């Protein structure tokens, strides 16, 4: 507990704090998560990495109010989640999810897909539509708002999914292997989009990735294994873009160490790839 | 995009399945609208016949299964007419007869004595009515629809039970049932049907229609009057509404109409249940995603119920249109002989829609409940 500068979680920019999270699944008594503690600050860009079955997704589910831990507590904006009665509202208003397989609804256009979470907002239909267009322009798909998912490339689909995640103006984006189904060029584009959201809007982003190179584009890297955090280090930055040495030298750090938003010197210098330039004509 | 647009798109996603489900509901609603509509229509037509003439009581044999079966002595008419408070009495004999020379079977024929009030409602379009002077002259009056269908004109011959009658008048009344009937003098009708001295019933008008005088007349007819003729316990005097409601054949038809409709509607409901269970099962992950992005369980329920109601109301529209068409067709069949109105009452249509709504809501209740209980983590675990 002494790791935390502010154990109340209020102020001090702490958005999410996990304390001693353990998750046991009843089937086979597998320990999906063992005593994990983690602090995420507002505006942070964090990559969770680790082999399959290391507990990354389980941790993301706990942070995203999708699942309850067997023991331990998560604090969202200082409030213990176990005391928050309505997780639906929490998810609807504060959290944006991005999934590996996009999960866009095939019958809806890009614009309509982005509006789906907004049914839970008080916005009238016209405002929902306007916001959807704005968000699609923001992710570089202003020229494809009426396309159905099947007419979009995989990279474009994930951009629509990101716009959808942003629909209700969340405070944090949680992405589970967002580039797992993308080719490397699209993956890079999506990562650049995350980077620009982080840089320009100060969006807090937690993403899971297998891709070491892409993970390095985050500010902070949490590595997990066997349900535990093995390391929590500032990112060394992308190998090529930032010119850092190719070797990785993770600094072992206690869980809870964090990088303040905007203080990382390894911020990727990403730009939107050419196909993502919004077509405002 | 509005929520209902979203719901509509979900329904249109599986066009074949949606069409089949809609057709299933349409068949059930169509069956209800047609059968129950016809049953109600039969009752309404019959009731109308009496109410237009301000009939207070209908006297018939209590053990008769239809107005045409069961006979009473003609003398009953005179005894009832002699009661206090009775204004008019019309003894009637109703039966089926055949127009043998024309090959027309099953014509409903009414026999009334000359001069009774029942004649007053007949508007004679051609020829003349049956009066006291018509006795022994073998005249028959035809309702305008019967005349038209049988292609009979004034003066044409009609052979019934080896006797030849002539068309002396063509009439019209407000009741399509009567417009499809023939009218004879009572004595002629008795002779042709072999029921000499007998009638099938009486229509009675009272001087005042208060509940008190109605009950008094009933008691007198079913009591002392019947006793005097030795038919106590076999005579019933009922106001028109009650008479119509207790007609055995109409009740049997109504029960059958409802039974068939209920079975059809239960099948529609199971059809809907099956469709929605499949639909929710297929969309397990999708619903999980919707939950993950913040949808409340109540919105998932609303989505599934609205999809189902959309299908069932679509079915109600198609089914009602089908029912209207079918009713129109059936009313034109010769066997309907004016007893079935060619329109479906708005009340029946409204009932059809309400039933469809119930089919939709009940059929989707369980799938909606299941859908709402899906955990968002299920979706992610499916990766």
């Amino acid at each position: 507990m002494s790791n935390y500068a502010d154990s109340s979680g209020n102020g001090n920019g702490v958005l999410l704090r996990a304390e001693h999270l353990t998750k046991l699944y009843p089937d086979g008594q597998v320990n999906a998560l063992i005593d994990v503690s983690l602090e995420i600050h507002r505006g942070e860009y964090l990559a969770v990495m680790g082999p399959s079955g290391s507990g990354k997704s389980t941790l993301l589910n706990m942070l995203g109010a999708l699942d309850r831990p067997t023991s331990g507590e998560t604090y969202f904006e200082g409030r213990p989640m176990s005391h928050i009665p309505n997780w639906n509202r929490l998810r609807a208003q504060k959290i944006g999810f991005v999934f590996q397989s996009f999960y866009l609804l095939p019958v809806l256009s890009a614009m309509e897909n982005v509006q789906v979470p907004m049914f839970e907002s008080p916005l009238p239909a016209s405002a929902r539509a306007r916001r959807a267009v704005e968000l699609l322009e923001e992710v570089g798909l202003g020229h494809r708002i009426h396309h159905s998912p099947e007419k979009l490339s995989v990279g474009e689909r994930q951009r629509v999914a990101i716009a959808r995640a942003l629909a209700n103006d969340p405070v944090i984006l949680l992405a589970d292997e967002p580039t797992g189904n993308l080719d490397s060029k699209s993956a890079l584009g999506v990562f650049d989009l995350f980077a620009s959201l982080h840089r320009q809007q100060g969006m807090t982003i937690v993403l899971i990735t297998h891709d070491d190179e892409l993970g390095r584009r985050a500010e902070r890297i949490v590595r997990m294994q066997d349900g535990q955090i093995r390391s929590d280090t500032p990112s060394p930055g992308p190998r090529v873009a930032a010119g850092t040495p190719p070797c990785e030298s993770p600094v072992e750090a206690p869980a809870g160490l964090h990088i303040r938003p905007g203080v990382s010197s390894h911020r990727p210098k990403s730009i939107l790839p050419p196909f993502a330039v919004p077509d405002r004509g | 995009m509005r929520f209902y647009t979203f719901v509509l798109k979900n329904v249109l996603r599986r066009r074949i399945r949606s069409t089949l489900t809609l057709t299933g509901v349409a068949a059930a609603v169509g069956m209800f609208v047609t059968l129950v509509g016809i049953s109600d229509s039969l009752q309404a037509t019959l009731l109308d016949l009496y109410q237009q003439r301000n009939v207070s009581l209908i006297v018939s044999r209590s053990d008769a299964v239809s107005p045409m079966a069961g006979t009473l002595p003609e003398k009953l008419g005179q005894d009832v007419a002699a009661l206090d408070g009775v204004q008019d009495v019309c003894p009637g004999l109703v039966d089926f007869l055949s127009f043998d020379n024309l090959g027309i079977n099953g014509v409903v024929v009414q026999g009334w004595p000359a001069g009774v009030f029942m004649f007053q409602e007949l508007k004679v379009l051609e020829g003349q009515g049956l009066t006291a002077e018509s006795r022994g002259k073998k005249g028959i009056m035809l309702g305008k629809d019967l005349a038209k269908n049988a292609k009979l004109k004034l003066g044409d011959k009609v052979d019934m039970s080896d006797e030849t009658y002539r068309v002396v008048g063509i009439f019209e009344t407000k009741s399509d049932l009567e417009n499809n009937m023939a009218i004879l003098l009572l004595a002629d009708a008795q002779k042709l049907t072999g029921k000499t001295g007998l009638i099938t019933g009486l229509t009675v008008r009272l001087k005042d229609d208060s509940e008190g005088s109605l009950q008094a007349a009933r008691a007198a007819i079913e009591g002392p009057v019947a006793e005097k003729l030795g038919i106590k316990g076999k005579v019933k005097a009922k106001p028109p509404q009650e008479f119509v409601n207790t007609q055995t054949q109409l009740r049997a038809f109504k029960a059958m109409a409802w039974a068939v409709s209920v079975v059809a509607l239960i099948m529609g409901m199971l059809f809907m249940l099956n469709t929605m269970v499949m639909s929710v099962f297929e969309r397990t992950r999708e619903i999980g995603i919707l939950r993950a992005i913040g949808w409340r369980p109540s919105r998932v329920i609303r989505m599934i119920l609205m999809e189902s109601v959309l299908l069932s109301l679509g079915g109600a529209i198609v089914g009602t249109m089908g029912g209207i068409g079918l009713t129109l067709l059936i009313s034109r069949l010769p066997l309907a002989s004016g007893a079935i109105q060619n329109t479906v009452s708005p009340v029946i249509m409204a009932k059809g829609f309400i039933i469809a709504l119930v089919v939709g809501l009940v059929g989707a209740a369980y799938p909606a409940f299941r859908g709402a209980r899906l955990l968002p983590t299920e979706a992610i675990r499916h990766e």
Side-chain angles (χ1 to χ4, degrees):
Chain A
M1 208 62 61
S2 58
N3 289 337
Y4 303 114
D6 173 16
S7 63
S8 75
N10 285 323
N12 204 23
V14 177
L15 180 63
L16 261 171
R17 197 174 81 231
E19 278 183 8
H20 307 293
L21 290 185
T22 295
K23 179 72 181 178
L24 280 82
Y25 284 113
D27 44 345
Q29 293 293 308
V30 178
N31 289 351
L33 224 50
I34 305 162
D35 194 28
V36 167
S37 295
L38 183 73
E39 211 172 61
I40 297 162
H41 281 69
R42 282 182 200 279
E44 225 176 350
Y45 183 7
L46 187 151
V48 181
M49 302 182 72
S52 297
S54 59
K56 310 183 296 290
S57 291
T58 308
L59 176 63
L60 203 73
N61 290 352
M62 305 291 154
L63 298 178
L66 286 176
D67 205 355
R68 289 173 195 275
T70 311
S71 66
E73 181 67 273
T74 311
Y75 296 85
F76 196 100
E77 294 179 328
R79 284 180 77 193
M81 274 202 201
S82 62
H83 293 187
I84 297 176
N86 193 341
W87 283 15
N88 303 309
R89 193 191 293 170
L90 180 69
R91 286 198 300 270
Q93 296 178 347
K94 304 274 189 179
I95 302 168
F97 282 98
V98 180
F99 307 96
Q100 179 175 353
S101 307
F102 333 128
Y103 293 137
L104 299 176
L105 301 185
V107 282
L108 303 182
S109 68
M111 188 179 146
E112 288 166 336
N113 263 292
V114 176
Q115 290 175 67
V116 170
M118 290 193 251
F119 287 130
E120 290 291 338
S121 79
L123 290 180
S126 55
R128 294 200 292 260
R130 263 201 312 278
R131 173 148 180 81
V133 174
E134 283 167 16
L135 286 167
L136 285 169
E137 284 172 350
E138 214 170 287
V139 301
L141 289 176
H143 57 307
R144 293 196 169 251
I145 59 172
H146 296 302
H147 285 57
S148 68
E150 61 179 15
K151 294 201 177 115
L152 298 172
S153 72
V154 283
E156 288 170 328
R157 285 179 211 180
Q158 193 59 298
R159 283 163 184 275
V160 175
I162 292 168
R164 178 180 68 180
L166 295 170
N168 288 339
D169 204 10
V171 295
I172 186 167
L173 270 189
L174 300 177
D176 194 347
E177 296 274 5
T179 55
N181 284 357
L182 303 186
D183 57 85
S184 55
K185 190 184 165 200
S186 302
L188 213 61
V190 163
F191 262 81
D192 285 344
L193 180 57
F194 278 124
S196 95
L197 282 170
H198 167 62
R199 199 176 52 236
Q200 288 168 11
Q201 299 181 11
M203 179 62 71
T204 312
I205 299 169
V206 177
L207 61 83
I208 290 176
T209 182
H210 265 110
D211 191 315
D212 203 56
E213 188 50 46
L214 292 174
R216 289 167 73 119
R217 289 168 179 263
E219 288 176 342
R220 174 181 163 197
I221 297 174
V222 169
R223 288 185 191 275
M224 293 187 70
Q225 201 174 4
D226 301 328
Q228 288 175 305
I229 292 181
R230 292 291 176 208
S231 71
D232 187 345
T233 60
S235 164
R239 277 178 238 262
V240 186
T244 46
C247 66
E248 195 188 324
S249 52
V251 181
E252 289 296 327
L257 181 125
H258 59 264
I259 306 294
R260 292 292 173 83
V263 297
S264 169
S265 57
H266 308 290
R267 202 186 304 139
K269 307 276 187 289
S270 60
I271 47 155
L272 291 177
F275 67 81
V277 174
D279 176 11
R280 292 176 196 273
Chain B
M1 180 178 55
R2 293 177 190 280
F3 192 56
Y4 58 72
T5 314
F6 175 66
V7 167
L8 182 67
K9 291 199 173 196
N10 276 340
V11 169
L12 293 177
R13 203 152 143 186
R14 296 261 178 190
R15 277 164 207 250
I16 292 175
R17 188 168 67 193
S18 292
T19 309
L20 284 174
T21 309
L22 191 142
T23 311
V25 176
V29 171
M31 204 169 279
F32 168 82
V33 166
T34 310
L35 289 178
V36 178
I38 285 176
S39 155
D40 282 10
S41 164
L42 285 171
Q43 285 195 330
T45 314
L46 193 58
L47 186 63
D48 206 35
L49 194 75
Y50 297 115
Q51 284 183 338
Q52 275 177 18
R53 292 193 166 93
N54 298 317
V55 169
S56 317
L57 286 170
I58 297 139
V59 181
S60 63
R61 201 171 168 101
S62 57
D63 52 3
V65 293
S66 87
M68 297 184 198
T71 50
L72 294 165
E74 194 181 339
K75 173 91 177 30
L76 184 67
Q78 292 147 30
D79 293 354
V80 171
L83 289 172
D84 277 347
V86 171
Q87 188 186 334
D88 287 309
V89 171
C90 175
L93 178 68
V94 57
D95 209 340
F96 286 117
L97 282 172
S98 299
F99 293 172
D100 297 326
N101 58 327
L102 302 167
I104 299 172
N105 297 319
V107 178
V108 179
V109 178
Q110 288 266 13
W112 297 332
V116 294
F117 71 91
M118 293 293 273
F119 278 111
Q120 289 162 11
E121 286 296 318
L122 305 184
K123 184 180 164 198
V124 179
L125 300 175
E126 291 175 55
Q128 57 195 36
L130 293 168
T131 58
E133 284 96 70
S134 314
R135 279 182 192 135
K137 291 183 183 164
K138 294 190 176 177
I140 185 168
M141 288 180 80
L142 303 177
K144 66 172 172 103
D145 293 340
L146 175 62
K148 190 177 155 202
N149 293 338
K151 296 190 178 70
L152 285 168
K153 296 187 296 293
L154 274 185
D156 282 353
K157 284 181 193 170
V158 175
D159 289 346
M160 294 176 291
S161 304
D162 300 328
E163 300 225 25
T164 302
Y165 280 70
R166 277 187 191 279
V167 179
V168 296
I170 290 169
F171 67 87
E172 179 185 33
T173 74
K174 287 173 193 161
S175 158
D176 282 338
L177 199 58
E178 286 187 316
N179 289 332
N180 275 284
M181 286 182 188
I183 293 171
L184 294 165
L185 287 177
L186 179 61
D188 291 339
Q190 288 171 333
K191 195 172 156 198
L192 288 172
T193 56
K195 292 174 179 170
T196 311
L198 298 172
I199 54 172
T200 47
L202 297 175
T203 42
V204 181
R205 276 171 162 180
L206 297 177
K207 283 174 187 151
D208 82 288
D209 255 343
S210 69
E211 191 60 27
S213 57
L214 204 66
Q215 292 308 329
R218 280 182 89 160
I221 294 166
E222 291 174 5
V225 174
E227 196 161 8
K228 192 175 135 199
L229 292 168
I231 48 172
K232 188 161 161 57
K234 292 177 180 167
V235 181
K236 282 275 175 247
K238 292 172 179 170
Q241 184 74 60
E242 190 184 333
F243 175 77
V244 168
N245 289 347
T246 55
Q247 284 298 300
T248 313
Q249 287 179 333
L250 288 181
R251 284 176 65 184
F253 183 79
K254 190 170 192 169
M256 191 274 298
W258 272 98
V260 172
S261 299
V262 165
V263 170
L265 290 166
I266 288 172
M267 284 170 66
M269 214 175 270
L270 291 174
F271 210 32
M272 184 61 83
L273 177 67
N274 182 52
T275 297
M276 296 315 291
V277 166
M278 291 274 291
S279 162
V280 169
F281 179 75
E282 278 174 10
R283 289 186 289 167
T284 297
R285 188 159 62 189
E286 194 175 301
I287 291 169
I289 295 299
L290 293 172
R291 296 275 287 107
I293 62 177
W295 274 32
R296 289 162 291 168
S298 62
R299 185 168 292 278
V300 174
I301 290 178
R302 225 195 309 169
M303 173 182 82
I304 295 164
L305 290 184
M306 277 174 75
E307 285 174 17
S308 166
V309 165
L310 195 68
L311 282 174
S312 61
L313 289 185
I317 291 170
V318 175
T320 304
M321 292 193 321
I324 290 170
L326 204 57
T327 306
L328 190 65
L329 265 175
I330 292 173
S331 73
R332 284 185 180 171
L333 294 177
L335 68 89
S337 61
I340 298 165
Q341 288 156 2
N342 60 6
T343 53
V344 175
S345 79
V347 176
I348 290 289
M349 287 193 227
K351 280 184 187 169
F353 272 82
I354 290 169
I355 287 173
L357 197 67
V358 172
V359 166
L361 291 176
V362 173
Y366 169 69
F369 173 73
R370 265 191 56 165
R373 280 184 39 160
L374 284 175
L375 295 174
T377 43
E378 286 300 312
I380 290 144
R381 211 167 291 159
H382 276 163
E383 287 255 24

